[in-house]
Amino acid sequence: MTNQIAAQNSATQSPREVAVRASHVTMDFGGVLAVNDASFELEKGRFLTILGPSGSGKTTLLRMIAGFQKQTAGEITINGKPVDAAPPHRRSIGMVFQKLALFPHMTAAENVAFPLKMRRFNPRQIAGRVDQFLDLVKLGGYGNRRINELSGGQQQRVAIARALVFEPDLLLLDEPLAALDVKLREEMQLEFRRIQHELGVTTINVTHDQREALVVSDNIIVMDGGRIQQQAEPVELYRAPENPFVAGFLGLSSFVEGTATADGNMQVGDLVVQGEPADDFAAGTKVLAAIRAEQIRLAGTREALGNCDMKLEGRVSDTIFEGERQMYVVEVGALSGATFRVYHHDPDSFGLFHVGDTVALGWNRRDLKIFSPAA
Amino acid sequence: MTARSQRILFWALVWFCILILSVPTIIVVGASFTTANMISFPPEGFTLKWYEKIALARDLQQAFIRSLIVSTVCLIVSVPVGTLAGLALSRFKLRFANAIQIYLLLPFTVPLIGSGIGMMLIFGEWRVLGSLWPVGVALAVINLPFIIWSVSSSAGALDGDLELAASSCGAGRFETFWFVTVPGVMPGIITGGLLMFVLAMSEFLVSLLLTDARTVTLPVQIYNNIRSIITPDLAAVSSVFVVIALLAVWLLDRLVGLEIFLKSK
Ligand SMILES: Nc1ncnc2c1ncn2[C@@H]1O[C@H](COP(=O)(O)OP(=O)(O)OP(=O)(O)O)[C@@H](O)[C@H]1O
Ligand SMILES: [Mg+2]
């Protein structure tokens, strides 16, 4: 049965249609621009994550898509129709809330059956469908439990089943995993991905967890201060951030300030640092470079670094043990004392370097991104 | 050591309070078993004859039934009105929320004798004073704040997203109200309802003003029966009252305890 649904969905998906389109959407809470001129498109059947720090406007954007709040400017359409064309209960949107909002006076099965009853499904088919979706979220046999008799992860699954059981056009997830412990969260992330692939439902997920965004999504929107900073596929977003905010928000980056050179590199003092400019900068403009902690190589001497486009000496100013790896903070005098945070995987010799040691740093040109600092 | 002595002090205080609060109840219940013809405590001997007497007293019986009717009318009026008002007060950002809160305090600031006389005038004007239902309505009006508060505090504790969740499940406004909001505030409705019932059963002053010989309720009847001395049969009636109140508390514990069990937290 589930496979049938999946087959149907992939059939309708073949020419990618746009499921959700936001154009110049703004939400003005009396002077506070919670969402500021946001535009994006989401194709049918894809999994989009809206990623951003607390207060960046993620929930507000999601609630406008759900139609619970009306934007003050701009338009949102779902399958070509404006969201506010119909009241919330007449739309085909399933939603999993941050605090789940399961009905406490009903059993798990009654919770899952509720949308089917409200949407006037054939009463004879309801029980079978409820069982089918409880199985889908691996809760077969738990239908008669009350909500308070289920664990956090199980409640999560009930909420997902309730949001999906009527096969909505769109599934919205508002940080539903935020309250779970790390292990369970990672398990549920994979679960989301499996279910989404199985049903092929268009999904928008909100989170401030960059790892979750990278793991589950086909497409990621990074938000900050109500503005969309970048929309891209996970690998591209990670490899080619378009501005310092995205570079700093995903992964662990170190920043160096300098001025642009005519050939697209960066000058700090007398030293020219090779990097990849995000834009065409006029020579002499102020720029900000970023490089990820795992893209910097670390060794005792320049020779031991092997092939690198850029090699520098620095002094270890701090070492932090993180379990599977060690992080070193290295101060580079030649770059007017800029500090770099470097991950070092070396299973045999944890603590290879110590505070005060002189070390060699190296990286490749394409890994150092040069941005305009204003962005 | 300190913890121990603190505990002893704490429990001593608790028991002292319990004792002080229950002294009138203990005396009246004890006195209802006395064999003497005058109320006395500690009781002289033990007899159930006063209970037999009140069970056979037609005036008390009829007054009791009238009290039940009045309380039921009060319940029927106050539960829907109080529930809706309580929900409105906590759910919507009402423009005059403050003014409404103060208005709800009015029944406590206006002396009962004042509101009683006011209602006597109104019901007299409408020519409905001889029947029982106006008494129930009057008691619903004066005690309404209790159920409103009970419901609105229950609604305040309810997760606001539940109603949005219901609408995303396809429930319209009415369905959301009936299947999600009302079950969610059920503990408040039950608590408020039982409170209204018990208060209506024992209300005296307003009932005294609104009843006549044909419609006396139990508290008024008891008052009428008091001559120069208080006879033990009145202690027996009072004991029955105590039992009703205890029953209500027990019921509350069962029902609301059950509701809390049904809730996830
Ligand atoms: N109803 C409201 N009235 C006024 N301001 C609001 C309202 N709702 C949200 N805001 C403001 O809008 C901004 C964005 O809020 P929003 O809830 O969308 O953030 P978020 O990205 O979901 O954050 P979090 O990760 O903490 O949930 C915040 O500055 C918030 O204070
Ligand atoms: Mg949020």
Side-chain angles (χ1 to χ4, degrees), chain A residues 29 32 34 52-61 69 98 175 206 208:
Chain A
F29 286 119
V32 180
S54 191
S56 56
K58 308 180 295 291
T59 297
T60 309
L61 185 54
Q69 269 166 350
Q98 179 156 2
E175 301 206 46
V206 158
H208 55 249

Side-chain angles (χ1 to χ4, degrees), chain A residues 298 318-319 326-330 340-342 344 351-353:
Chain A
L298 194 64
D318 202 359
T319 69
Q326 184 94 17
M327 189 179 86
Y328 293 99
V329 182
V330 181
F340 290 85
R341 291 178 291 182
V342 186
H344 193 65
L352 191 59
F353 307 111

